[in-house]
Amino acid sequence: MAELAELDDPKARKVNEKRGDDHGVNLGKLRALAKRLGTQQELAGGLWATGDTAARLLAILVCRPKAFGREELDTMVREARAPKVHDWLVNYVVKKSPHAEELRLAWAADPDPVVASAGWALTTERVARKPEGLDLAGLLDVVEAEMKDAPDRLQWAMNHCLAQIGIEHAEYRARAIGIGERLEVLKDYPTPPNCTSPFAPVWIAELVRRREEQGS
């Protein structure tokens, strides 16, 4: 904790706080610290228990993802309110867990929009890697009905799923693009040069174009 405190940079903290993340540690330096520490599950538990955002990010990097039980992961996702902690927890820990599918189903229907966004993130992973058994048309129905008025983080996760369906599954591409065009979610999102817009129709078209170029 003392080492993390030394790494805290007020300027970085100010930038991060605009995104809802209350820490000022450079993530490159945080990863270097994690690399030096190596995997330490007991230390990860102690770091997480502090409630400190930087400590929790470090905990995620040094933990053993498959060591957590289902209830532990459920509790952790509900505790992870900082966006970066939530994002890393889902992507670096939950996706590697044997409980991922069970949690995906439970979380997607959760009344807490932040928890529900974790369920949608896991669904997006399945759309890309293991779509067998998913009701893609049904997912598009839900997105079409609910994404426009969803809270920010849930809306972002649903939009990612919409784009992923359009990118990965040609038979649903026209419908996914049509939903994006009608709802206009993230249409005006400020996108830096050389970055792809998160507006689903643009995102889908750009990724499909790149794949086709690579395949030609």
Side-chain angles (χ1 to χ4, degrees):
M1 292 304 293
E3 216 168 325
L4 286 172
E6 284 181 21
L7 291 174
D8 195 272
D9 177 354
K11 289 181 181 176
R13 179 176 285 275
K14 194 172 182 180
V15 171
N16 288 332
E17 282 176 347
K18 289 179 182 176
R19 305 189 193 107
D21 287 308
D22 56 341
H23 77 92
V25 179
N26 177 280
L27 296 181
K29 292 179 180 178
L30 191 75
R31 290 181 188 278
L33 176 56
K35 189 174 181 181
R36 196 186 82 218
L37 291 169
T39 301
Q40 296 192 46
Q41 182 67 12
E42 189 175 345
L43 174 61
L47 288 167
W48 185 271
T50 66
D52 178 78
T53 294
R56 285 185 163 179
L57 290 172
L58 183 59
I60 290 165
L61 294 176
V62 302
C63 77
R64 189 176 291 106
K66 293 180 181 177
F68 294 106
R70 181 198 182 286
E71 295 308 318
E72 278 183 290
L73 291 173
D74 184 70
T75 298
M76 290 167 76
V77 159
R78 294 176 193 282
E79 291 174 344
R81 308 316 286 186
K84 184 63 71 176
V85 174
H86 180 271
D87 182 53
W88 279 21
L89 180 63
V90 172
N91 285 290
Y92 297 169
V93 180
V94 182
K95 285 182 180 179
K96 298 176 183 177
S97 167
H99 308 291
E101 180 60 13
E102 190 182 348
L103 289 169
R104 179 186 78 83
L105 294 169
W107 288 343
D110 199 277
D112 182 330
V114 176
V115 175
S117 74
W120 278 90
L122 295 172
T123 298
T124 302
E125 175 84 354
R126 271 204 61 186
V127 166
R129 297 181 183 273
K130 194 181 176 184
E132 298 79 21
L134 283 180
D135 178 6
L136 297 177
L139 288 171
L140 291 175
D141 288 343
V142 176
V143 169
E144 191 166 23
E146 299 178 14
M147 182 172 73
K148 182 78 172 178
D149 299 317
D152 286 352
R153 283 160 70 179
L154 177 55
Q155 184 184 71
W156 188 274
M158 294 175 88
N159 183 71
H160 190 179
C161 190
L162 172 67
Q164 202 72 51
I165 291 172
I167 292 162
E168 302 288 345
H169 302 279
E171 66 273 30
Y172 292 104
R173 189 167 296 149
R175 186 180 173 203
I177 290 170
I179 290 170
E181 288 173 342
R182 282 193 301 280
L183 299 185
E184 298 188 334
V185 168
L186 301 175
K187 184 177 182 179
D188 300 319
Y189 190 83
T191 306
N194 303 318
C195 290
T196 303
S197 168
F199 179 47
V202 174
W203 191 354
I204 293 166
E206 176 62 19
L207 269 290
V208 170
R209 182 189 65 77
R210 288 184 199 173
R211 289 187 181 185
E212 287 173 350
E213 280 184 0
Q214 290 169 358
S216 60

